[in-house]
């Protein structure tokens, strides 16, 4: 899908979020750049601990001690969110930017009914009567597919299934018609059928309302189904980003290739799936050069010593395709990458 005519909505430039612990400084997000256009679905993918969730929490000012956003710009709808005070940011959060968190059952307050919690969003951002807030809350529960919403609105979170609780979270997130929705692993711990229903719901609401979505997941299958643009993260940095079609057709970074190679293909007989050797490095003590170098078989194949000495830049290898890898650092659009020479 061509999104070049869509207006930029979110621009992230050199975002750095560090956690200051007794063991040292954890560079959870270390120089991340990406953008989201109006109505676009952008996927952020990577293994657990790569910085996906911390990136999303940084965007809406929810980093708690000992964490801190130490550098970077977060420009949303023409405003730099890092320059806003708590009250100003509070007017944007839940109103223009909403977030769906992991584990909906633990994100909802167990002592209030789901109807009260959905209506509370309206109480914060709109001057309506309690009756009007309640009626709108019930209507939104209906729109996200909650059965018998008039009855379910009086239920407590523990009385709802995981899929229903996630729908409640989506209802709360979309109640104010936000311009941007951040969905952090929205289908985690749900069975396959419910996962499909939640993704269909998000895609349908994106089309009807035009809300842009940042979809955070470790599941490349979800990315392939939902996203238009994809950023692959590893050890706090983006190592590759491009359109979803190009990512699956022409992956460049060895880490991206490893992720795609580890996906089982229906109808294909494989004795073993591909694996990425080694483990994700500690974010307290990152390697001197490329963080992926200790696990990278391509580095060994090409004998690239520089990988362990210097961190490569995120460069535009081709128009609309950026990669952070020494295999491509010295080549332009009209030259072949090192691995094809």
């Amino acid at each position: 899908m061509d999104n070049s005519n869509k207006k930029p909505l979110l621009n992230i430039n050199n975002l750095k979020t560090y956690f200051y612990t007794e063991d040292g400084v954890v560079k959870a997000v270390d120089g991340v750049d990406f953008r989201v256009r109006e109505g676009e679905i952008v996927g952020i993918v990577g293994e657990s601990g790569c910085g996906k969730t911390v990136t999303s929490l940084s965007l809406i000012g929810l980093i708690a001690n000992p964490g801190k956003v130490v550098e970077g710009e977060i420009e949303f709808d023409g405003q730099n969110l890092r320059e806003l005070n708590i009250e100003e940011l509070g007017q944007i959060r839940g109103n223009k930017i909403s977030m769906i968190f992991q584990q909906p059952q633990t994100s909802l307050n167990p002592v209030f009914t789901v109807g009260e919690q959905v209506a509370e969003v309206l109480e914060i951002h709109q001057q309506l009567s309690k009756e009007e807030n309640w009626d709108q809350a019930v209507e939104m529960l209906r729109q996200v597919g909650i059965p018998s919403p008039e009855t379910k609105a009086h239920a407590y979170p523990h009385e709802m299934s995981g899929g229903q609780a996630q729908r409640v979270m989506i209802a709360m997130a979309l109640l104010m018609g936000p311009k941007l929705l951040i969905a952090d692993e929205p289908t985690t711990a749900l069975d396959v059928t419910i996962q499909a229903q939640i993704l269909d719901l998000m895609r349908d609401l994106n089309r009807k309302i035009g809300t842009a979505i940042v979809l955070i997941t470790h599941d490349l299958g979800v990315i392939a189904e939902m996203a238009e643009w994809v950023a692959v993260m590893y050890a706090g940095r983006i190592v590759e980003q491009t359109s979803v079609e190009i990512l699956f057709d022409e992956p460049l970074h060895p880490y991206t290739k490893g992720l795609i190679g580890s996906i089982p293909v229906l109808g294909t007989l494989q004795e073993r799936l591909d694996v990425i050797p080694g483990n994700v490095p500690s974010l307290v003590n990152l390697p001197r050069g490329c963080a992926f170098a200790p696990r990278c078989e391509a580095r060994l194949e090409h004998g690239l010593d520089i990988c362990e000495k210097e961190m490569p830049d995120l460069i535009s290898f081709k128009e609309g395709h950026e990669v952070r890898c020494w295999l491509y650092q010295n080549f332009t659009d009209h030259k072949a990458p090192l691995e094809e020479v």
Side-chain angles (χ1 to χ4, degrees), residues 8 46 58 70 73 84 146 174 181:
S58 300
V70 298
E73 292 184 352
L84 303 183
I146 295 291
L174 294 176
L181 173 66

Side-chain angles (χ1 to χ4, degrees), residues 74-255:
I74 305 170
E75 186 179 292
F76 171 76
D77 206 17
Q79 287 183 295
N80 188 348
L81 299 187
R82 292 199 63 208
E83 296 177 350
L84 303 183
N85 59 38
I86 294 176
E87 290 185 2
E88 292 170 332
L89 190 57
Q91 287 301 310
I92 291 177
R93 189 167 56 217
N95 188 4
K96 294 183 178 181
I97 303 177
S98 292
M99 185 166 180
I100 304 171
F101 297 92
Q102 295 185 47
Q103 304 298 337
Q105 296 281 17
T106 58
S107 298
L108 294 168
N109 192 321
V111 301
F112 294 100
T113 66
V114 295
E116 289 171 330
Q117 294 183 63
V118 176
E120 185 182 17
V121 178
L122 291 167
E123 293 173 11
I124 294 171
H125 296 289
Q126 291 187 181
Q127 301 298 320
L128 300 175
S129 67
K130 286 189 176 181
E131 292 76 14
E132 289 173 313
N133 288 337
W134 182 265
D135 289 343
Q136 285 197 30
V138 171
E139 177 57 30
M140 180 54 75
L141 292 176
R142 177 179 288 105
Q143 289 185 28
V144 298
I146 295 291
S148 304
E150 295 87 356
T151 302
K152 284 291 186 179
H154 294 281
Y156 289 89
H158 73 272
E159 298 176 304
M160 309 192 81
S161 67
Q164 289 177 346
Q166 190 62 285
R167 289 173 186 268
V168 172
M169 294 295 297
I170 294 173
M172 294 172 66
L174 294 176
L175 194 58
M176 300 304 299
K179 289 189 173 183
L180 177 66
L181 173 66
I182 302 170
D184 186 7
E185 300 279 7
T187 58
T188 296
L190 301 178
D191 65 54
V192 176
T193 302
I194 301 301
Q195 283 184 30
Q197 292 175 3
I198 294 298
L199 294 177
D200 285 342
L201 172 61
M202 291 176 59
R203 184 166 42 233
D204 189 45
L205 293 170
N206 165 258
R207 290 170 179 166
K208 288 181 178 178
I209 303 175
T211 298
I213 299 176
V214 174
L215 178 59
I216 296 165
T217 181
H218 64 276
D219 190 336
L220 279 170
V222 171
I223 291 293
E225 182 179 349
M226 292 286 294
E228 301 165 63
W229 186 266
V230 189
V232 181
M233 286 192 71
Y234 185 80
R237 293 184 174 97
I238 289 177
V239 296
E240 185 168 359
Q241 58 179 335
T242 186
S243 69
V244 68
E245 293 87 357
I246 292 175
L247 188 84
F248 284 92
D249 289 344
E250 304 175 50
L252 296 179
H253 199 282
Y255 177 62

Side-chain angles (χ1 to χ4, degrees), residues 271-315:
E271 291 186 4
R272 293 187 61 186
L273 294 174
D274 293 341
V275 297
I276 302 174
N279 299 303
V280 178
S282 167
L283 296 180
V284 177
N285 187 26
L286 286 169
R288 178 181 171 188
C290 173
F292 189 63
R295 308 175 69 186
C296 184
E297 295 179 344
R299 174 187 66 84
L300 299 174
E301 180 183 345
H302 294 289
L304 294 178
D305 294 334
I306 194 172
C307 298
E308 296 182 300
K309 298 176 182 178
E310 296 181 36
M311 169 61 67
D313 295 326
L314 184 67
I315 64 161

